[in-house]
Amino acid sequence: MARKTTRSPEVQLPPQEELKRLKLSPEVAHYLITRGIPLPTCPPLFKTPEPGELLATARFDGERVDKVIAAFRRLRHTQGQWAGRPLNPDPWQVAYILAPVFGWVKRNRARRWVRVVRVLYVEVPRKNGKTTTCGGIAIYLTAADGEQGAQVVAAATTADQANFVFAPIKQIAERSPALKPYVKALAKKIIHKATGSYFAVVSSAADAQHGANIHGAVVDELHLHKSPELVEAIETGTGSREQPLVAKITTADDGKPNTIYARTRKRIEELARRVIKHPATYGVVFAAAESEEHLRELGLDPFGTEAMRRANPGFGISPTQEYLETKASEARQDPAALATYLRLHLGIRTKQVTKYIALSDWDTSAGLVDEAALAGRRAHGGLDLSNVEDITALCWVFPEAGGDSYQVVWRFWLPEDQLKVLNKRTAGSAEVWAREGWLKLTPGNVIDNDAIVKQIDEDAQKFRVVTVGYDRWGATDVVRRLGDGGLTCVPISQGIASMNEPLKSTLRLVKGGRLLHGGNPVMRWMVDNLAVVSDSSGNVKPDKANSGDKIDGVSALMNALKEAMAVQEAEKAPPATAPAPPPGDDRNLWRPSERLTI
C-alpha cells in the first residue's frame, strides 16, 4: 500500500532489513534522522503496525511530534540525579511511543487533521521512565494539545494508588518554570487556566462516568486493575472528542487469566502479528522473550547482560546495569525472587506471584516412570478433591529403596461438561490431555466420586498402598468409602506448618533429579501455575489464591509426600527399649529366640 508522506528523498534511510530489525517505519526513521535523534538499539518484542501501514489516508506530520517533544523539554524532572533537568525524551521513547502516536494524522469528517491513534499501550519493565512518560503525556494533553475544556484523567484502583499516580505529575507541574505560570495545582486537580482544562485522578467507574467528556487518560499499571469497569468507563467517555487518547502503561503481570490486562495484552499481540487490524490502537511490549521457554530457545541467560538489554530500552541509564545485576543476583540465589525478577525486570509474564519451581528443573527431573514396573511396590497416596465442577487429583509416591528419591504417578479427573472451559484456560491443551488419557473425564457437569473410588481400589490391588493423605475439605464421602474398603486414610492440614517440609523437599528433590515424574503434561501445567506463600521464618506452602491457575496436582503431591516422609522417619528411629520385667515374670522365657532347651 503506497503511503503519503512528507519524507525528503535526499535523506538516506537505513536498509529495509535494518528498519525491519529495529521495527521502525520509514516515516519514523526519517523523522529521527532529520531531527538528529539517534536510532534506538532496543526494539520491542511486540509492536503493532503504525497507522500508515493500515490506512491509506493517514499522513505522518513531524511537526506535531516536534510540538510534543518541545512540551516535554519544558518540563523538569523532580526526583533523583535528574531533578531539575529537562524532561528530554530518550530516542526509544520518541521512536516507539511519541512519534507513532502523535505523528500519524488523518482528516476527520469535518476535514480537520486529527490523530489516528486513540489507544496507546506501552508495556515496559520497571525503572525505564514509565512514570515520567505518563506525566509528560498527561500534562501535554491537558495544557498543550489545543483542546478547550479538556478533561484528562488518570485511572487508579485505590486511593493510595491515586495519590501515587497524581503526586509525581503534580510535582512536575509545580516545579517546571515554563509551565507553572499557566497551571494551578490543587490538592487533587491540575487546572490549565487558559483553556479551562484539567487533570485529575479517578478511582471508580462512577467517578469516570460523572460528567464524562474525556479528552485524555493515563492508566498506569494496568495489571493492577482487577476489574475492567473503570478502564471501560474511561474509554466510553471519550466519544465526543475529536482526537482523544487513552494511554495504558504497565509492567508485565503474574499470569492471571481473564483480567483486563490479559485481554489487552492478547489484543496487542494479535495486532502485532497482523491477526487483526485496528489503526486506532497502537502498542509496544518490551521484554527479553515471550516466556521462560522462549528465553531458553533464544539461548539467553536470564541473568546475563544480553537479556537485560533486550528487555530494558533505557538500559545503562535508567535502569542502570548495576541495579539490574543486583536484582539478578538476588533472583539467582532465591527461587522466591525469580518470578519477580523475570516479570518486573525482563518483562516476562510469569504464571505465579512467587516462582518456586523452575520449569527447566522440573523437566530435567522427569525421568522415565514405568507404571507396570511399580506393581507390588510400597506406595503412599495423596488426594486433593476440588469442588464438584473442577479437577480432582490423586498422586501416588513410591519411595526408592535405601535412598532419598521417589517415583511419582498422578491421576486427574474432570467433569466432561467442564472440558471446554478448561480447554480455553489451557490454550487447547486440555482436549489433548483427555484424548491421550492424562485427564479422565467423568459424565455430566459434576465430579463422579464413584470413578475416583473405583480407580483407587484398582490401584490398591496393584500397588502396596500404606496410607492415603487427604485434605479434609470436600473429602468426606470418598475418604469414608476408602476407609470402609480397608485403606488407611490420614487427614493432613494444609497450613504452612504442615506443608513447609514436603514443599521444600519437593524443590530439593527436583533440583537433585530425585523426583522422577515421567513428564505428566497436566502436572507440568500445574507446576507452571504454582505460587507459594511464606511466613517471616521462611516457611512456605502452596498458595492457591495467587497461583496462575489450578495446582491440585501439587497439593496431591504434598499430601502423598508428607505421608511417605513421615513413615520413612518413623522407620529410621531406633526401636524403643522394653522395660525390664518384674521379678517372677517369665514372659521372656517363651520368646522363640530365648526359649530354654530342657
Side-chain angles (χ1 to χ4, degrees):
M1 179 184 295
R3 292 192 256 187
K4 296 179 180 179
T5 179
T6 56
R7 281 187 278 148
S8 304
E10 64 273 11
V11 175
Q12 184 68 39
L13 295 180
Q16 184 62 34
E17 294 76 13
E18 180 65 3
L19 291 180
K20 184 177 180 180
R21 185 187 72 82
L22 293 176
K23 297 182 180 176
L24 290 176
S25 68
E27 290 79 9
V28 169
H30 178 273
Y31 176 82
L32 296 173
I33 292 170
T34 56
R35 268 57 173 186
I37 299 174
L39 298 183
T41 58
C42 178
L45 179 67
F46 292 107
K47 176 178 179 285
T48 65
E50 294 179 19
E53 180 182 326
L54 305 175
L55 202 61
T57 56
R59 288 182 176 232
F60 188 84
D61 185 347
E63 292 183 359
R64 284 190 171 227
V65 185
D66 292 340
K67 182 182 176 185
V68 175
I69 294 176
F72 266 67
R73 288 171 175 167
R74 284 174 171 78
L75 305 177
R76 293 293 181 268
H77 285 279
T78 61
Q79 299 176 358
Q81 60 180 312
W82 294 284
R85 297 182 187 178
L87 219 68
N88 195 25
D90 293 333
W92 73 268
Q93 292 172 320
V94 177
Y96 298 119
I97 302 176
L98 300 181
V101 171
F102 291 94
W104 284 106
V105 295
K106 66 175 183 178
R107 287 192 187 273
N108 64 8
R109 290 185 177 180
R111 306 300 297 165
R112 286 188 289 270
W113 289 100
V114 295
R115 283 190 297 271
V116 179
V117 175
R118 305 297 177 90
V119 176
L120 164 65
Y121 180 86
V122 178
E123 185 171 315
V124 65
R126 191 171 280 181
K127 300 296 182 182
N128 280 274
K130 184 165 54 63
T131 301
T132 302
T133 304
C134 285
I137 291 175
I139 290 176
Y140 178 83
L141 294 174
T142 304
D145 205 24
E147 186 80 7
Q148 294 293 317
Q151 297 177 11
V152 182
V153 299
T157 56
T158 64
D160 287 342
Q161 194 204 2
N163 184 63
F164 182 80
V165 172
F166 181 74
I169 297 175
K170 180 183 178 183
Q171 288 178 355
I172 291 174
E174 290 177 326
R175 300 180 187 179
S176 299
L179 177 65
K180 189 174 181 180
Y182 303 100
V183 299
K184 184 176 183 179
L186 305 177
K188 296 183 178 181
K189 185 179 289 189
I190 298 170
I191 300 172
H192 183 239
K193 294 174 283 189
T195 60
S197 304
Y198 70 82
F199 168 77
V201 177
V202 294
S203 56
S204 72
D207 290 341
Q209 291 167 344
H210 180 69
N213 188 12
I214 294 172
H215 173 61
V218 173
V219 182
D220 191 17
E221 298 296 10
L222 180 67
H223 74 279
L224 295 179
H225 288 254
K226 294 185 171 72
S227 167
E229 279 79 10
L230 176 55
V231 178
E232 289 174 352
I234 288 172
E235 290 178 325
T236 56
T238 63
S240 60
R241 296 286 182 173
E242 279 194 324
Q243 52 175 10
L245 179 64
V246 177
K248 304 171 185 178
I249 304 181
T250 187
T251 49
D253 80 335
D254 53 14
K256 287 187 175 63
N258 304 318
T259 63
I260 185 171
Y261 166 90
R263 294 203 304 270
T264 306
R265 168 67 185 261
K266 180 182 178 182
R267 178 174 171 80
I268 294 300
E269 290 186 21
E270 290 176 341
L271 288 167
R273 293 185 171 114
R274 277 66 173 174
V275 175
I276 57 176
K277 297 179 180 180
H278 194 252
T281 300
Y282 171 81
V284 287
V285 175
F286 288 92
E290 296 181 41
S291 63
E292 287 183 81
E293 290 183 352
H294 186 214
L295 195 69
R296 290 194 298 274
E297 290 171 4
L298 295 172
L300 293 175
D301 175 5
F303 310 112
T305 303
E306 179 60 24
M308 297 176 188
R309 286 185 183 276
R310 286 190 180 219
N312 295 274
F315 179 81
I317 300 174
S318 180
T320 64
Q321 183 171 345
E322 291 77 13
Y323 169 81
L324 289 175
E325 287 175 346
T326 299
K327 294 299 179 182
S329 178
E330 293 171 358
R332 191 193 297 269
Q333 298 174 40
D334 180 7
L338 179 58
T340 300
Y341 169 76
L342 293 173
R343 182 170 66 86
L344 297 183
H345 302 298
L346 293 191
I348 296 174
R349 296 186 69 195
T350 56
K351 287 282 190 74
Q352 59 249 59
V353 176
T354 304
K355 199 167 190 69
Y356 196 70
I357 300 176
L359 272 186
S360 56
D361 291 336
W362 182 258
D363 292 343
T364 301
S365 184
L368 178 64
V369 176
D370 182 359
E371 190 171 319
L374 296 172
R377 288 272 302 272
R378 186 173 80 177
H380 295 271
L383 188 60
D384 186 79
L385 281 165
S386 297
N387 65 55
V388 295
E389 298 178 346
D390 222 324
I391 298 174
T392 284
L394 168 69
C395 177
W396 295 115
V397 166
F398 302 85
E400 294 289 339
D404 182 23
S405 58
Y406 304 85
Q407 293 191 54
V408 190
V409 172
W410 281 271
R411 320 285 192 206
F412 293 101
W413 292 269
L414 179 76
E416 190 173 30
D417 290 356
Q418 299 300 316
L419 180 60
K420 286 185 178 180
V421 177
L422 183 62
N423 203 49
K424 185 176 181 181
R425 279 157 42 194
T426 59
S429 295
E431 285 185 350
V432 178
W433 300 338
R435 188 166 59 247
E436 295 181 350
W438 301 103
L439 178 65
K440 297 182 179 182
L441 303 179
T442 64
N445 60 1
V446 296
I447 202 71
D448 182 3
N449 287 347
D450 290 343
I452 298 169
V453 172
K454 182 175 183 292
Q455 180 66 61
I456 295 176
D457 284 342
E458 290 177 0
D459 288 343
Q461 299 301 316
K462 186 192 313 182
F463 312 131
R464 185 159 54 90
V465 176
V466 182
T467 56
V468 176
Y470 69 95
D471 177 4
R472 287 186 180 89
W473 188 89
T476 306
D477 177 60
V478 172
V479 170
R480 177 186 58 76
R481 293 166 63 182
L482 294 177
D484 291 344
L487 289 179
T488 301
C489 298
V490 182
I492 294 178
S493 168
Q494 303 299 296
I496 202 164
S498 183
M499 290 290 101
N500 176 63
E501 184 179 5
L503 184 54
K504 284 189 173 179
S505 294
T506 297
L507 177 63
R508 174 177 55 80
L509 291 165
V510 167
K511 282 183 169 292
R514 297 195 301 277
L515 190 80
L516 304 182
H517 51 78
N520 184 304
V522 185
M523 186 59 187
R524 186 180 189 274
W525 173 67
M526 291 182 175
V527 167
D528 200 26
N529 292 331
L530 173 64
V532 303
V533 63
S534 60
D535 62 15
S536 58
S537 300
N539 299 311
V540 293
K541 73 167 186 175
D543 186 2
K544 288 190 176 184
N546 286 312
S547 290
D549 210 301
K550 303 299 294 182
I551 59 169
D552 307 273
V554 176
S555 299
L557 171 62
M558 295 302 100
N559 293 336
L561 192 58
K562 184 170 180 61
E563 275 301 292
M565 292 167 60
V567 172
Q568 286 176 301
E569 284 300 313
E571 291 173 344
K572 292 177 183 177
T577 304
D585 188 342
D586 61 356
R587 286 177 300 175
N588 290 343
L589 296 179
W590 306 113
R591 290 180 178 172
S593 61
E594 298 180 18
R595 285 179 184 169
L596 298 177
T597 300
I598 299 176

